[in-house]
Amino acid sequence: MGDSKFKEMWERVASLLTLSQEELAEVAEELRKDKPSADRYILIRILGKGGGISYRQMVEGFLNSPGDPMLAQSALWTLCIYWGLTGQYLPQVQDFVQGVSWDSEEDVRISAITIAGEYLRAKPNPTLLRQLMTIFENPEERQIVREVAYRALGRAIGRAHTELPGGSRSLDWAKDIDPTILQAAKRRFSEETSE
């Protein structure tokens, strides 16, 4: 992780403790450096969990990080999950759900799919919902991507995390998939597009 000071800050925010404005400024200053003493994606996450929303523009600047997709993934997660700004970044979320050429390991895509499911719990968006259904139903997609899309669909239709198979193992398509999730998602899509 680098500098022990930033490691300690990460441990504090991971334990849901806040940082002072001075500490957040120090993290932001480190993030601006050409060669920071801690991983940039950890610094972004510290700002995110530490309440550094005043650094939103700086974090937003990492969304387009072709040389390091993990930076984009950290920025997207911070903006959408930690700060609850998904509605303001829907074009980027939709692009990442679709997939971008420089995200070869699909790390950003997987995070965007998860973010989409969480957003759809409270907000209608037929385009995003259709994207998730298309990914889940496409056997050409990697299994892990389809699994994340399945969980996101479950979240979108109101299922609790405990009602969905955990992400720590591969799904058994015959046993773990509840067909009522896709049926409910399709019903919702039909209702949202007919309004």
Side-chain angles (χ1 to χ4, degrees):
M1 166 169 296
D3 191 303
S4 62
K5 169 178 39 182
F6 296 111
K7 180 179 181 191
E8 184 269 331
M9 285 183 192
W10 172 249
E11 289 170 358
R12 283 177 38 216
V13 297
S15 299
L16 304 178
L17 300 173
T18 58
L19 299 179
S20 69
Q21 290 305 309
E22 293 77 21
E23 288 170 315
L24 290 170
E26 190 176 354
V27 172
E29 188 58 39
E30 192 67 25
L31 188 55
R32 287 186 185 97
K33 292 180 179 177
D34 287 337
K35 294 184 179 181
S37 64
D39 292 325
R40 286 185 195 278
Y41 46 87
I42 295 297
L43 294 171
I44 292 169
R45 294 278 179 115
I46 292 170
L47 286 177
K49 288 194 81 145
I53 197 166
S54 62
Y55 298 99
R56 174 180 169 184
Q57 283 189 313
M58 176 190 293
V59 171
E60 187 179 284
F62 291 101
L63 285 175
N64 185 23
S65 296
D68 191 346
M70 291 303 291
L71 283 177
Q73 188 269 351
S74 290
L76 188 68
W77 197 262
T78 293
L79 292 163
C80 296
I81 299 298
Y82 295 154
W83 294 341
L85 302 174
T86 305
Q88 297 173 44
Y89 292 94
L90 282 175
Q92 293 92 333
V93 171
Q94 290 172 345
D95 287 348
F96 287 134
V97 167
Q98 193 64 38
V100 293
S101 61
W102 47 266
D103 183 26
S104 59
E105 299 295 318
E106 297 184 294
D107 294 316
V108 186
R109 186 178 190 209
I110 286 169
S111 287
I113 291 168
T114 300
I115 289 164
E118 295 304 313
Y119 178 77
L120 289 169
R121 287 180 71 75
K123 304 281 186 186
N125 188 308
T127 303
L128 210 47
L129 186 58
R130 183 180 60 235
Q131 283 182 293
L132 296 181
M133 292 187 302
T134 300
I135 293 167
F136 172 66
E137 293 183 302
N138 183 356
E140 300 298 313
E141 293 280 4
R142 288 177 41 215
Q143 179 162 337
I144 189 170
V145 175
R146 289 181 72 199
E147 290 174 1
V148 172
Y150 172 73
R151 290 183 190 97
L153 285 169
R155 296 291 291 158
I157 64 158
R159 297 281 176 94
H161 286 293
T162 55
E163 296 176 277
L164 298 166
S168 60
R169 63 174 177 82
S170 293
L171 297 183
D172 179 329
W173 292 98
K175 295 178 184 173
D176 293 328
I177 303 299
D178 178 352
T180 64
I181 288 177
L182 186 58
Q183 291 164 3
K186 287 181 176 183
R187 216 172 18 256
R188 177 178 167 179
F189 177 77
S190 178
E191 290 166 4
E192 288 181 6
T193 54
S194 67
E195 293 175 355

